[in-house]
Structure formats: C-alpha cells, structure tokens
C-alpha cells in the first residue's frame, strides 16, 4: 500500500509557457462563442490511504492530473479545485468560469474543521474574491464522471506503482 510520505505534498501550477500557449487557444474558442458563455472546468479527487489522485477537465483549459498526500477526501477535493483555479489564474482567462464539482461541502464552502481545511478553504475564498466572475457549481456525482475517471485512474496508477505491479 502507499504511504503518505511517498506522494508530493503540494501541487504547483503548470509551466507558465504551457499556460500562455493554452491561453491563445482558449481565447479564440471563447471569442467564437462571444465570451458570454462561461468556461466550465470539472474538478475531482479520488482519495485512499493518505494519497489522492486529482484531476480537472475542461474543453478550453485542457486536462490535468496530479498526486498529492493529504488527510482525507474533502481535503483532496480542495486540492483538485485549487489546482484548477491556480492554472486558470496563471492562464489569465477572462470572463465567467464555473468550476464544477460534486462535493456539496466544498461547493457551499461549508468545510474547515481541521487546520488543513481551514487554510485550503481560505485559499479558495481568496481566489473567488480576486475573480468575481468565477463560480463554484455543484453537479451530481454521475454528471462529474468526466473528471472522476482521470482522478481514479491517477490514484490507481500510483497504487500499482507503489505495490510494484
């Protein structure tokens, strides 16, 4: 089984050059849609035994997965959302962005009992305050399969690697 010490503890933004290259494609797509429709980014985390597979999926921003060591599912969901938010901010995307997630606790920002969650919740709130056109949208778990599958796959690959498979 995996140990918490083997997975990274933080998620860094993608390389600035990669995000700048994505930005021009994203803006072209959004101009074609008249920038009125929001950009959707689905986020999800799969957690087990102190390690989480994180994912976001967006037709415009692209897809990304990562691993992080964390203490539980709610903490992992925060990390997945923040990974998407940081990349969207670094990409300097204009206009409305809706971050879709299937964690009702996170969508309502109704978490924060442990020190880890208090800090992560504060980071989410700070990002939303800096970007008034950003919104969190709760979706049913079955409608978030688009991000759930890569999150589970990332965690599974990590587990197989850690087990020596």
């Amino acid at each position: 089984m995996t140990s918490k010490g083997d997975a990274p503890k933080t998620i860094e933004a993608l390389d600035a050059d990669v995000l700048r290259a994505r930005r021009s494609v994203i803006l072209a797509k959004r101009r074609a849609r008249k920038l009125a429709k929001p950009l959707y980014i689905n986020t999800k985390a799969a957690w087990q035994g102190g390690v989480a597979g994180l994912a976001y999926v967006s037709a415009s921003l692209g897809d990304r997965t990562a691993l992080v060591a964390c203490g539980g599912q709610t903490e992992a969901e925060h990390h997945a959302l923040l990974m998407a938010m940081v990349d969207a901010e670094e990409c300097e995307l204009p206009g409305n962005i809706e971050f879709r997630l299937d964690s009702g606790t996170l969508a309502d920002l109704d978490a924060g009992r442990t020190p880890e969650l208090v800090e992560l919740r504060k980071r989410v709130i700070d990002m939303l305050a800096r970007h008034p056109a950003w919104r969190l949208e709760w979706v049913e778990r079955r409608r978030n399969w688009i991000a759930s599958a890569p999150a589970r796959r990332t965690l599974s690959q990590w587990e197989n690697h850690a087990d020596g498979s």
Side-chain angles (χ1 to χ4, degrees):
M1 199 59 173
T2 61
S3 78
K4 191 172 179 176
D6 297 331
K9 305 249 188 266
T10 60
I11 303 298
E12 301 296 326
L14 284 178
D15 182 79
D17 292 334
V18 170
L19 290 170
R20 275 193 292 277
R22 285 185 181 182
R23 185 172 191 267
S24 61
V25 173
I26 294 164
L27 291 178
K29 287 180 180 180
R30 295 203 65 201
R31 273 192 295 278
R33 293 187 341 226
K34 308 284 191 248
L35 291 175
K37 295 180 183 174
L39 172 78
Y40 298 104
I41 302 173
N42 288 64
T43 69
K44 184 62 184 164
W47 179 86
Q48 186 171 338
V51 178
L54 314 178
Y56 70 72
V57 176
S58 170
S60 298
L61 184 60
D63 305 347
R64 182 172 179 205
T65 60
L67 270 158
V68 66
C70 62
Q73 183 66 37
T74 303
E75 184 180 344
E77 295 285 354
H78 277 79
H79 283 294
L81 174 61
L82 284 165
M83 179 175 72
M85 291 177 129
V86 168
D87 285 357
E89 183 176 66
E90 290 291 321
C91 202
E92 298 177 357
L93 296 177
N96 300 332
I97 300 177
E98 289 187 10
F99 295 90
R100 293 177 170 174
L101 40 112
D102 59 32
S103 167
T105 303
L106 182 54
D108 294 334
L109 292 174
D110 188 29
R113 306 282 184 252
T114 66
E116 297 84 10
L117 292 180
V118 168
E119 179 57 34
L120 292 170
R121 180 178 177 268
K122 181 182 179 319
R123 287 180 56 203
V124 169
I125 290 169
D126 288 348
M127 292 289 267
L128 291 170
R130 283 198 306 269
H131 303 282
W134 289 9
R135 299 279 180 266
L136 302 182
E137 179 187 355
W138 178 83
V139 296
E140 293 176 0
R141 182 158 290 146
R142 65 183 171 87
R143 287 187 51 220
N144 201 25
W145 64 268
I146 193 168
S148 185
R152 284 192 320 267
R153 193 169 38 252
T154 301
L155 181 60
S156 177
Q157 289 170 348
W158 172 258
E159 290 172 339
N160 290 340
H161 174 74
D163 290 340
S165 304

